[in-house]
Amino acid sequence: MMKSQPLIIYDSKCKFCSKFANWCTLKNNIFQTIPVRDREAKTRLREVDVVFINLNTIYFINDKKVYTKSEAVFEIMKLISFPWNIFSLFRILPLSLTNYFYEVFAKYRYRIKI
């Protein structure tokens, strides 16, 4: 059985999120990206038992496992080459702490000028 491509599902209305998703594919072309509001995103998320889609999070699906928020970012960064993969080391911090910072960032992400 062929392994599926790692999938990043992101908020395409957020300039930062779009640039991050594009940057990830430039750094490692194994990633597939789909905007969260795309019908395909809904289908792919249902395949991994995500029924409620939160527009304030990034989803990362790899090996039929879904990651969200900071955990998704850490998993993505793990697959990007040095020095960027160092960011995945922050996963040693409590998920409640890293998700708190993720949620604060997500709240203000539309204000980021890129």
Side-chain angles (χ1 to χ4, degrees):
M1 188 172 142
M2 194 172 117
K3 189 175 172 182
S4 64
Q5 250 184 311
L7 175 62
I8 299 170
I9 299 176
Y10 66 98
D11 179 6
S12 62
K13 290 190 177 184
C14 164
K15 286 182 179 150
F16 178 86
C17 305
S18 295
K19 290 216 183 243
F20 177 73
N22 289 331
W23 178 83
C24 291
T25 58
L26 287 172
K27 291 295 177 184
N28 189 339
N29 65 1
I30 65 163
F31 296 113
Q32 178 185 9
T33 60
I34 302 174
V36 71
R37 290 171 181 83
D38 192 295
R39 186 172 284 167
E40 175 72 9
K42 189 179 220 180
T43 301
R44 299 291 293 274
L45 287 167
R46 281 197 178 136
E47 290 172 359
V48 290
D49 298 325
V50 174
V51 179
F52 173 76
I53 298 173
N54 182 348
L55 299 178
N56 290 322
T57 191
I58 186 171
Y59 292 92
F60 180 60
I61 302 171
N62 194 16
D63 292 332
K64 297 188 181 190
K65 184 160 189 213
V66 64
Y67 303 92
T68 61
K69 299 182 182 180
S70 64
E71 190 176 27
V73 174
F74 298 145
E75 287 294 317
I76 292 166
M77 297 307 278
K78 188 167 72 172
L79 298 176
I80 295 176
S81 62
F82 183 82
W84 303 105
N85 58 1
I86 292 172
F87 284 104
S88 68
L89 297 176
F90 284 105
R91 72 176 328 121
I92 66 167
L93 296 171
L95 200 55
S96 59
L97 177 68
T98 58
N99 277 344
Y100 170 78
F101 287 112
Y102 180 94
E103 289 166 6
V104 169
F105 183 87
K107 183 176 179 179
Y108 298 104
R109 72 189 184 279
Y110 292 115
R111 295 182 187 177
I112 297 171
K113 302 289 184 223
I114 295 183

